[in-house]
Amino acid sequence: MSPDLVIRAASALIDGSVRPASVAITDGVVTAIGDLETPYAAAAEHRLADDEVLMPGMVDAHVHVNDPGRSEWEGFATATRAALAGGTTTIVDMPLNSLPPTTTVDALNVKKAAAQGNCYVDVAFWGGAVPGNIDDLRPLHEAGVCGFKCFLVDSGVPEFPPLSSAELRDYLARLAEFDALMIVHAEDAAALDAAPHQPGPRYADFLASRPDESEVTAIATVIDAVRATGARAHILHLSSAQALPQLRAAKAEGLPITVETCPHYLSFTAETIRDGSTAHKCCPPIRSSANQDELWAALADGTIDSVVSDHSPSTLDLKQLDSGDFAAAWGGVASVQVAFSAVWTAASARGHSLADVARWMCERPAQIAGLRSKGLVAVGHSADLTAFAPSRSWTVDAAALEHRNPLTAYQGMSLQGVVTGAWLRGMPVSARDAFGEPATPRGRFLTRGVD
């Protein structure tokens, strides 16, 4: 069968290295990869510029869309346009802070109805694990969610309460029956309660209120529960390097545990965050420069598997911009559009390659979420691709981003790497048309293990 499209690139990220290649696409799937000038009787061709690299689209497995119910924070149209503009072709939506949260099949269907026709990238869904919904886990799994998110501390919204340590073990035992994944916000409530709490604009006070001990203790609880039940678990948004030794030991033991961190932990340090800059507030918090160095080392040695945005936006008023009070401000960094460029900027400065960043932000998130055809430029994989100019730079202007609310911790930063084009299942796609209006959404819903 003749390909529908051939993309030719002097630089293409194939099998972990950058080389000249031609990529043939038929019915939305990569069907052949050849040399740069391999002849194909294709219906269409596209050739990248010399400074562009053909890459897999990013898979952002940690995005809070908040729709329905809190769509004024973010909605599917704005979140997925922002994702696409930043080089992401697949997101996995978190089960909160939408109303209702995705803790039942009925709630999943409500969320899909809100998303229908509004997605510029492909969208998969996480389910939620909260007290009282243990019998909803298998139906949600059978409905195709990628796994289940739980908190071990207050989530910040009353409709998504945390699991106790005993409940975590019970829920993991249930998930082990059908080999489902639990993803865990791992902070310990007792450690947080014992920490000093001083309201106000000083970042140092906020950092003291979320000590490393809270992550270390909670992650130990998860490791013990995984060891006892045999279930798979994934540690969300790792912030504290003090938890790395026990995670290395758990992986060496062969326990089925994976770990993610986020661009903001790799891009910012506590020493440089201005007092009152609540755009940088997130939980767990951004820690010291020395801590950041250890996170990068853990990415390099594979202790940390993936990097995801944890895009968690809100309306401007919830960020307490007037008072700068970290204690009162909503915790979350808006970053889905800037995530890839931010990580590439920091990674390249430390000597990491584009292949490293693609492994952390494309390949591994897809694998962890069970999206088997995503995250690689490879024969048989979905033709979700981006053209990325790694040497071009741009300055972040929150007002120009596709995010619904114009606030980001990256405001004014100069970042390396510009997304110059994208294909979703072999179709050229963009956030906006030639007239600057929102383009036609082409995204689909994904099911774990199938797409």
Side-chain angles (χ1 to χ4, degrees), residues 90-346:
T90 299
I91 67 166
V92 190
D93 173 62
M94 281 290 160
L96 74 164
N97 302 294
S98 58
L99 291 169
T102 316
T103 54
T104 66
V105 172
D106 285 346
L108 174 64
N109 291 334
V110 170
K111 177 163 283 196
K112 285 183 174 181
Q116 186 67 48
N118 292 315
C119 297
Y120 287 77
V121 301
D122 285 354
V123 178
F125 301 92
W126 295 109
V130 297
N133 87 323
I134 193 168
D135 291 330
D136 292 296
L137 303 181
R138 186 184 286 270
L140 276 164
H141 178 77
E142 292 173 350
V145 300
C146 292
F148 299 89
K149 180 176 187 177
C150 73
F151 279 74
L152 302 184
V153 291
D154 180 12
S155 71
V157 291
E159 68 275 3
F160 206 98
L163 298 180
S164 67
S165 296
E167 287 170 326
L168 174 67
R169 190 166 295 206
D170 290 344
Y171 278 53
L172 283 173
R174 179 67 62 90
L175 294 183
E177 296 173 4
F178 43 95
D179 192 31
L181 176 67
M182 182 73 90
I183 64 175
V184 186
H185 182 122
E187 290 183 283
D188 181 74
L192 295 184
D193 288 344
H197 290 270
Q198 179 62 48
R202 293 185 70 243
Y203 186 75
D205 290 336
F206 168 64
L207 183 58
S209 75
R210 315 291 293 207
D212 295 86
E213 180 190 354
S214 67
E215 288 188 82
V216 172
T217 301
I219 289 171
T221 298
V222 176
I223 291 170
D224 288 344
V226 167
R227 185 182 291 114
T229 62
R232 295 185 295 126
H234 177 72
I235 303 299
L236 296 168
H237 44 53
L238 180 70
S239 156
S240 174
Q242 291 186 21
L244 290 171
Q246 62 185 337
L247 287 167
R248 288 191 175 100
K251 288 192 166 197
E253 185 182 336
L255 296 179
I257 292 177
T258 51
V259 186
E260 71 183 33
T261 192
C262 303
H264 37 279
Y265 302 130
L266 303 173
S267 300
F268 303 110
T269 62
E271 296 91 336
T272 61
I273 295 175
R274 301 185 314 276
D275 288 347
S277 183
T278 54
H280 290 86
K281 179 184 176 178
C282 53
C283 300
I286 296 164
R287 303 188 187 276
S288 70
S289 175
N291 182 90
Q292 184 186 85
D293 290 342
E294 292 191 59
L295 294 181
W296 277 108
L299 274 168
D301 70 22
T303 304
I304 299 175
D305 298 88
S306 63
V307 182
V308 295
S309 73
D310 190 9
H311 178 67
S312 186
S314 70
T315 53
L316 301 188
D317 59 301
L318 293 178
K319 277 296 192 178
Q320 303 294 321
L321 299 178
D322 291 338
S323 68
D325 185 348
F326 278 97
W330 176 258
V333 175
S335 59
V336 69
Q337 187 168 337
V338 305
F340 193 87
S341 292
V343 175
W344 168 240
T345 300

Side-chain angles (χ1 to χ4, degrees), residues 23-26 28-33 376-385:
V23 176
I25 300 163
T26 309
V29 175
V30 175
T31 48
I33 298 174
L376 288 171
V377 182
V379 172
H381 274 60
S382 182
D384 304 334
L385 311 169

